[in-house]
Amino acid sequence: MATIRFGFRRLNFHLLRRSFLLLKLTAFVIAVLLFCEFLIYYLVIVWCNWPEIKTPAHDSERETLEPVLKAMFLADTHLLGEVRGHWLDKLRREWQMERAFQTALWLLRPEVVFILGDIFDEGKWSSPQAWADDVERFQKMFRHPPHVQLKVVVGNHDIGFHYQMSTYRIKRFEKIFNPERLFSWKGINFVMVNSIALEGDGCNICSEAEAELIEISHKLNCSLKHFPLYRRSDANCSGDDAAPPEERGIPFRERYDALSREASQKLLWWLRPRLVLSGHTHSACEVLHGAGIPELSVPSFSWRNRNNPSFIMGSMTPMDYALAKCYLPCEDTVLITYCGAAGFLVVRILVHFGLLASPSPFGWKLLRKFKTR
């Protein structure tokens, strides 16, 4: 009888020990998931701050502080479609963008968000049903409170390049996203340019787009578009999120990598903006055009296009502006964390079942040897 009791207690001990191990491993896995899928976005974005405008706006009679508009600029989200979009790629990269966007909204409280084109990856050829599915996913990912405005600029992946562009695709895009070209708030005017239509070949869509720009040109002071203005290459771009060094010297193709020289000159002449923001290249770059008009290329917001995505924060008044960059978590940081956690789990399980010697005694031996020297 004593032997049976001893065996029963020993069995209970082993079961309890294994249950305790399973509980610890489950808690560890949950903690890693919470860190990599939620907490890391708060820990990174919390360090981002709205830039301060150096000199307050004032009128000729008395200095008056103008209300500051807090605007977020991001680009090239490239939501994958049904043709090229693997389900795991969709799940991973779209979850990253959703968590980054929602965390930024909660921490930074912007008043308006601009997305500078290429919202979708397959809008240029997606079927009506595929388009509806992509739009539904976009609206879920980039949901926002009613007091936050979301403005979208069309990109080549949304409606196609010039030779693919059609009235049907443009109308389909504008049905979901407000087609207004001019957006004004707190005395600041933004123009959303359909840069795909600035081909200069006199097509009906191109002529309409140019006529709209000419009509509103006298009101503008900030231009937003997908294609960057003409530049030879990214050779003069620098920074952690610029194009890789081996790609910076590659010449830009007009009407493909950037607007043509002619279209760029027209835009600068018509609009005379004090600031230009663009996307398309997936990398950051700062360029001065003409009489010192700055252009900022905004990097992609998605891990699918770069390891270190970011967005721009702008504090703006009718007289001045200040810009700052906010980086998102790097994809390789999350992957390294997962790999390290998986390695720890494997070692812990092997040690538990006696298939691997515990590293703890080995560590203590090394520590004792170090102390005795």
Side-chain angles (χ1 to χ4, degrees), residues 313-360:
M313 303 165 61
S315 299
M316 300 183 167
T317 69
M319 300 298 295
D320 205 353
Y321 66 88
L323 302 177
K325 187 173 293 181
C326 181
Y327 285 96
L328 304 180
C330 292
E331 185 176 27
D332 59 8
T333 300
V334 175
L335 293 177
I336 290 171
T337 302
Y338 274 131
C339 290
F344 172 81
L345 287 176
V346 171
V347 170
R348 188 68 184 85
I349 293 171
L350 292 176
V351 169
H352 176 80
F353 288 102
L355 301 176
L356 183 69
S358 175
S360 298

Side-chain angles (χ1 to χ4, degrees), residues 116-220:
L116 306 180
D118 280 0
I119 314 305
F120 308 108
D121 195 62
E122 301 177 10
K124 55 188 176 182
W125 63 54
S126 59
S127 66
Q129 184 57 52
W131 173 263
D133 293 341
D134 293 346
V135 168
E136 183 178 359
R137 290 184 2 254
F138 172 84
Q139 292 174 338
K140 173 184 175 295
M141 292 167 54
F142 293 93
R143 61 191 181 276
H144 53 90
H147 64 272
V148 177
Q149 301 226 35
L150 180 65
K151 301 296 180 181
V152 175
V153 178
V154 70
N156 56 287
H157 276 268
D158 302 316
I159 61 172
F161 281 103
H162 176 262
Y163 58 87
Q164 298 171 309
M165 180 178 58
S166 68
T167 301
Y168 166 74
R169 292 193 181 100
I170 293 175
K171 295 299 182 185
R172 182 171 71 171
F173 186 88
E174 292 180 345
K175 183 178 179 181
I176 303 301
F177 305 104
N178 197 320
E180 64 179 336
R181 295 288 178 264
L182 180 64
F183 170 69
S184 300
W185 199 359
K186 295 187 176 181
I188 307 162
N189 300 312
F190 300 89
V191 61
M192 276 73 79
V193 177
N194 178 3
S195 50
I196 319 302
L198 298 181
E199 189 75 7
D201 62 354
C203 74
N204 291 336
I205 297 175
C206 301
S207 298
E208 292 176 4
E210 291 188 6
E212 287 180 341
L213 292 177
I214 294 173
E215 182 180 350
I216 60 177
S217 62
H218 63 282
K219 300 178 181 178
L220 303 178

